[in-house]
Amino acid sequence: MSIGGKRCLAPFSIGGVSIGSPVVQAALSGYSDRAMRVLARRHGAAYSLGEVLLDKFVAEVGTNRRNLARLAVADEEHPVGGQLMGSNPDDFPPAARRLVAEGYDVIDINFGCPVKKVLGRCRGGYLLSQPATALEIVAKVRDALPPHVPVTLKMRRGLDDSPESLDNFWTIFDGAFARGAAAITVHGRTVKQKYVGPSDWEFLTAVKRHAGDRVVIGSGDLFSAQACVAMLEQTGVDGVSIARGAIGNPWIFRQTLALLAGDPPLPLPTIHEQRDMLREHWQLSMDLHGEQVAGRSMRKFAIKYARVHPEHLAVRDAFIGVKVNDDWQAVLARFYGIDGPGRDSAADIDETADCDSSG
Ligand SMILES: Cc1cc2nc3c(=O)[nH]c(=O)nc-3n(C[C@H](O)[C@H](O)[C@H](O)COP(=O)(O)O)c2cc1C
């Protein structure tokens, strides 16, 4: 790395919470449950965020196992952030306090979700068009929590490409820091853009230049370790929030750390390394959800894990049929028993996948 990866490996802080390296696991609705986060942390992510949760859901979660699993935090995964979404500023404080009681170290507020239903309910990305309400939410969450718990935001670069949208971005960005926000993650796409077209890294550069010492985490198009290093180098952001690039690919965290340390690129995971990761992830998911739900949840990860197997299409098809533990173990026995090199899947990463999602 031309600028010497060591600078990029620098830890940073979100308020009083130390983040050991710039390599972060993003909030991912439908994915970043405790199992995915623990795996990410064990395999190199310095910090991770849970999937976005509706404020009212959190405040009124009850005792149902399935619902409680969505809030669950493991002892080994600190620091971990919990993310909230809603429309009414008064609904946020009880939810934020509940997440802190569950063990979350940082409370993040979602101003990025582009899903139509969410926008229609004046939540997520919609609030980028309502700076006064967005800032009221930030202030109320900040006031509701003890000072040692940082409050952070996730923003897209605007609702759309209009000058008004850009003004609103800066109003929320500066206003949130003025109200005590400790860091802001910026996804370089507009809400209108959803996932079409690139994330604007030049915008991220401008944001970090404007922010100075204030902490900015970058998001968008981080599909490889090389891309993560490039974002850090090109934009100067304090951390990279790896999202789609981490689904079924926990190796990306160590691969990024290696490049940042100035080491040669790590080899692709071998078939046995893939098997071990799949076993670990499955076990974490079973522990969290029980066998039936783990079966459903892990299918969508497994389809992505399959990309680095030399027989990727056959493996993918086999995983699609998995329901319970025996099915999972049978796929591992059939395709992962004999070791060999992994497949380079860089060419077939589907960058438009999962567009109907939350940030
Ligand atoms: C399936 C999926 C779920 C997502 N869920 C969330 C979420 O819950 N909260 C959030 O702030 N962003 C969410 N995002 C947005 C990502 O965190 C990230 O900002 C976005 O995917 C851009 O990064 P990428 O191009 O590297 O994937 C989600 C994205 C995807 C694809």
Side-chain angles (χ1 to χ4, degrees):
M1 293 297 110
S2 56
I3 65 165
K6 296 246 167 5
R7 183 182 76 78
C8 292
L9 251 182
F12 66 105
S13 292
I14 299 178
V17 174
S18 303
I19 311 293
S21 84
V23 184
V24 169
Q25 158 75 69
L28 282 168
S29 182
Y31 292 92
S32 65
D33 60 5
R34 187 182 71 187
M36 183 189 197
R37 298 192 312 261
V38 166
L39 199 72
R41 296 285 281 116
R42 286 183 187 168
H43 293 275
Y47 171 60
S48 67
L49 280 139
E51 60 181 324
V52 67
L53 298 167
L54 198 58
D55 49 8
K56 285 185 185 153
F57 167 81
V58 173
E60 299 159 12
V61 66
T63 54
N64 170 296
R65 174 179 182 179
R66 194 154 170 203
N67 288 345
L68 286 175
R70 298 188 62 200
L71 266 57
V73 166
D75 289 343
E76 67 176 287
E77 65 167 323
H78 298 287
V80 57
Q83 192 187 65
L84 289 172
M85 178 164 78
S87 58
N88 178 356
D90 290 324
D91 289 336
F92 279 81
R97 284 192 289 264
R98 174 68 196 256
L99 287 186
V100 173
E102 292 295 327
Y104 288 91
D105 304 293
V106 176
I107 302 302
D108 193 55
I109 306 170
N110 182 309
F111 295 141
C113 180
V115 173
K116 203 169 162 192
K117 195 169 82 179
V118 168
L119 301 178
R121 294 185 177 161
C122 306
R123 301 171 180 152
Y126 170 82
L127 287 162
L128 292 178
S129 69
Q130 306 293 320
T133 310
L135 292 176
E136 194 184 342
I137 290 169
V138 175
K140 288 211 159 148
V141 174
R142 183 57 282 165
D143 282 355
L145 300 179
H148 71 272
V149 179
V151 174
T152 59
L153 271 59
K154 167 71 178 295
M155 299 172 71
R156 285 186 174 235
R157 70 176 168 84
L159 196 63
D160 55 30
D161 281 312
S162 67
E164 186 194 353
S165 184
L166 187 62
D167 280 354
N168 288 339
F169 175 89
W170 291 118
T171 303
I172 297 172
F173 186 88
D174 286 331
F177 278 116
R179 285 161 182 75
I184 299 185
T185 301
V186 181
H187 176 186
R189 292 186 175 88
T190 63
V191 173
K192 199 168 166 197
Q193 217 184 322
K194 293 191 174 174
Y195 288 86
V196 181
S199 170
D200 185 346
W201 287 14
E202 283 177 21
F203 184 76
L204 300 184
T205 307
V207 170
K208 182 56 196 171
R209 197 177 299 131
H210 170 87
D213 288 342
R214 298 176 293 177
V215 174
V216 177
I217 300 170
S219 168
D221 295 338
L222 298 172
F223 292 105
S224 66
Q226 286 77 5
C228 294
V229 174
M231 181 188 275
L232 287 164
E233 290 190 349
Q234 286 172 31
T235 70
V237 291
D238 300 278
V240 281
S241 178
I242 308 177
R244 287 174 291 175
I247 300 173
N249 184 26
W251 297 282
I252 194 169
F253 302 111
R254 288 253 158 80
Q255 289 165 349
T256 304
L257 290 174
L259 290 190
L260 288 176
D263 295 337
L266 292 179
L268 293 167
T270 65
I271 292 175
H272 276 175
E273 285 167 342
Q274 294 173 38
R275 178 197 59 192
D276 294 347
M277 192 70 83
L278 284 157
R279 275 192 184 141
E280 192 179 356
H281 198 161
W282 171 259
Q283 191 57 50
L284 285 163
S285 190
M286 285 237 291
D287 293 347
L288 178 63
H289 299 293
E291 189 172 355
Q292 301 292 333
V293 177
R296 278 199 297 280
S297 167
M298 286 301 293
R299 265 201 303 263
K300 44 189 193 198
F301 283 103
I303 290 165
K304 305 283 187 188
Y305 277 110
R307 290 180 310 206
V308 280
H309 192 287
E311 292 177 68
H312 60 286
L313 294 178
V315 175
R316 186 196 62 191
D317 290 348
F319 273 129
I320 287 171
V322 165
K323 287 197 175 65
V324 291
N325 187 36
D326 284 351
D327 305 333
W328 185 264
Q329 301 305 338
V331 178
L332 294 192
R334 181 168 160 212
F335 290 103
Y336 290 84
I338 299 169
D339 203 4
R343 165 180 175 266
D344 184 354
S345 65
D348 60 21
I349 283 180
D350 179 3
E351 299 187 3
T352 60
D354 303 309
C355 290
D356 189 26
S357 49
S358 308

